[in-house]
Amino acid sequence: MVTSIEEAKRKIEDASLRANKLEKPQFVSIVKQIAQFDPLSVYYNGRHLYEGKRFFWKDAYEPFYLVGFDYAHIIEKNKGRDRFKYVEEEWKRFIEGVKENKTPFGTGNLLFGGFSFHPYQKEDNLWTSFPVSRFYVPKVLFTSYNNEAFITFNRYIKQGESVEDIIKEMEHIEETFLASDILPSQVYERNAVQHEVAPEEWKRAVKHATEQIRSGEIEKVVLARELQVTFHEKIWSEYALSRLLEEQNLSYIFAVEQDSQCFIGASPERLVKSVDGEVFSTCLAGSIPRGHSAEEDEKLGEELLNDEKNLFEHKLVVNMIEKAMKETCLNVYAPEHPTLYKVKHIQHLYTPIKGKAKEGTTLFELVEKLHPTPALGGYPKEESVEVLEKLEVFERGWYAAPIGWLDGDGNGEFIVGIRSALLRGHEASLFAGCGIVGDSDPQSEYEETKTKFKPMLSALGGMNNDK
């Protein structure tokens, strides 16, 4: 339900009366339809009010954007294999307590956040502001969907708060966020210094992994590495997002700020989506660069479609996701052969899978079953993750992990945080990985990671300076 000013005042007054009577803060969600506005400008306009507490989300398949600010309610867990169940139970408890009326898709008390790749993280890692799981209902949410736009105000009303002051605060925030739809120009820093973290050690890890695979210990493992890029000035996430929106418009584009850090990327890979019980997942494994001409691009695509190594790697992903979905869904369907999914710098083997969720199946349950897919961890799941934990020289944090949103009705979507970077002031750590099988060549896999670094390097302005 979209709320008028009069209805907003009534809801706040009712919540204020309950707060005073029960001596306990009461949650309200005010949804207002507004004129269409540029989502990136909303994100930028909110910087001076909420820097370090913003998120941005763009769907890869639909004209759907979410831009969130600050935290009305937080669900967080710092470690433990029960993190999926913990977040789900806390979310259910919250939803049962607020009992809001139905609102337009992607509005209201929507939950946004993510998990780390591993259920435990070392304390001395890069990801100081990103715990094992962190989700929140934003205090302010901008939603753009199918040419309609909404702004949501979520908050707890405390005892004795002035209704008029709350209304004025909402009006000020709306005025600030919609002040201008022009993103100020910025000259991109080109004097970036790149530092590859232990490239030769990574190649030796690939060689070691192929030996383990050929000995029959595992069938596949995904090994990732880090590229550090340093600029002379602070990296502003809105300008990186602007470039990603321009260059990677067929991907999910996201940014999650936590204090002085920002995890940002353009992921082509959906983990799982659920809307009204319809479930969708994506198998994206096996890749090759784009060509410099249409003819070369087509030739490379045909090469990928017929490459035994990549087809084997892709089939492992399809089989695992299909099996996981059959445990939780009915009428599971996957095409027999993959097609190509092309983004700016790279093309992938692509197979979509869909089904109908069994009664009682939740989105968090699906996320837990699917993460990590063989495209992000390896196969078999547990054994391959153990191998990559021993062989990788950095902490993955939220890289290659589930990031997404869901509403009170169980609708939502999670992607995997690849083609991504962690921004820290004037420094950035970029991450890229490849699927390793028995006949993988360390140098070829190294070159593949260089291709996968390109989307974020380009977005940050550091493409031309390999040092």
Side-chain angles (χ1 to χ4, degrees), residues 160-380:
E161 277 198 278
S162 164
V163 174
E164 292 303 320
D165 286 348
I166 294 171
I167 294 293
K168 286 179 182 178
E169 176 190 337
M170 290 166 48
E171 290 173 343
H172 172 66
I173 290 171
E174 182 178 346
E175 182 180 331
T176 301
F177 286 8
L178 308 183
S180 171
D181 62 356
I182 299 174
L183 189 69
S185 61
Q186 172 174 298
V187 176
Y188 276 84
E189 172 64 72
R190 291 296 175 180
N191 294 318
V193 177
Q194 297 181 23
H195 169 65
E196 296 190 59
V197 178
E200 295 307 316
E201 184 176 345
W202 187 82
K203 292 177 190 178
R204 288 193 293 272
V206 172
K207 184 175 184 298
H208 186 66
T210 60
E211 293 169 355
Q212 289 183 275
I213 292 167
R214 287 196 293 268
S215 70
E217 295 178 45
I218 54 174
E219 292 188 51
K220 173 190 173 182
V221 65
V222 179
L223 294 181
R225 67 188 188 96
E226 177 187 356
L227 173 67
Q228 296 174 353
V229 187
T230 303
F231 296 86
H232 292 307
E233 297 179 356
K234 180 174 179 176
I235 307 165
W236 292 104
S237 58
E238 41 266 73
Y239 294 104
L241 284 171
S242 177
R243 291 284 284 267
L244 290 174
L245 288 167
E246 179 184 345
E247 298 177 355
Q248 306 293 331
N249 64 326
L250 297 179
S251 295
Y252 292 89
I253 296 173
F254 65 90
V256 189
E257 288 186 336
Q258 300 282 6
D259 302 324
S260 61
Q261 297 185 326
C262 179
F263 185 47
I264 184 172
S267 175
E269 190 162 353
R270 168 192 286 158
L271 181 64
V272 62
K273 178 179 182 178
S274 179
V275 177
D276 297 331
E278 298 293 330
V279 178
F280 307 87
S281 187
T282 295
C283 307
L284 210 67
S287 58
I288 202 166
R290 297 296 303 271
H292 295 292
S293 65
E295 183 180 1
E296 183 188 13
D297 194 61
E298 184 177 354
K299 182 179 178 182
L300 287 168
E302 284 299 315
E303 180 183 330
L304 179 61
L305 286 168
N306 293 281
D307 182 80
E308 289 188 12
K309 171 194 175 290
N310 281 291
L311 287 170
F312 172 74
E313 184 183 338
H314 186 81
K315 190 62 176 175
L316 286 177
V317 179
V318 173
N319 289 345
M320 178 270 182
I321 293 179
E322 195 171 16
K323 179 176 181 294
M325 285 187 60
K326 283 180 177 178
E327 293 173 0
T328 52
C329 300
L330 304 171
N331 305 322
V332 175
Y333 170 75
E336 189 173 344
H337 302 289
T339 56
L340 294 174
Y341 190 91
K342 297 173 182 272
V343 290
K344 184 172 183 179
H345 299 104
I346 195 168
Q347 47 191 318
H348 302 274
L349 293 176
Y350 165 77
T351 298
I353 299 182
K354 62 181 180 179
K356 181 73 174 178
K358 294 178 182 177
E359 188 172 350
T361 297
T362 67
L363 186 54
F364 279 122
E365 182 182 354
L366 290 163
V367 170
E368 183 174 13
K369 277 193 172 293
L370 292 171
H371 173 73
T373 73
L376 284 309
Y379 188 83

Side-chain angles (χ1 to χ4, degrees), residues 8 13 21 45 61 93 116 119 133 142 188 206 227 231 288 301 303 307 313 339 372 387 404 409 418 466:
E13 287 170 352
K21 180 179 180 180
N45 292 340
Y61 301 96
R93 186 176 292 113
S116 62
S133 59
F142 170 85
Y188 276 84
V206 172
L227 173 67
F231 296 86
I288 202 166
E303 180 183 330
D307 182 80
E313 184 183 338
T339 56
V387 170
D409 295 321
I418 58 174
D466 296 318

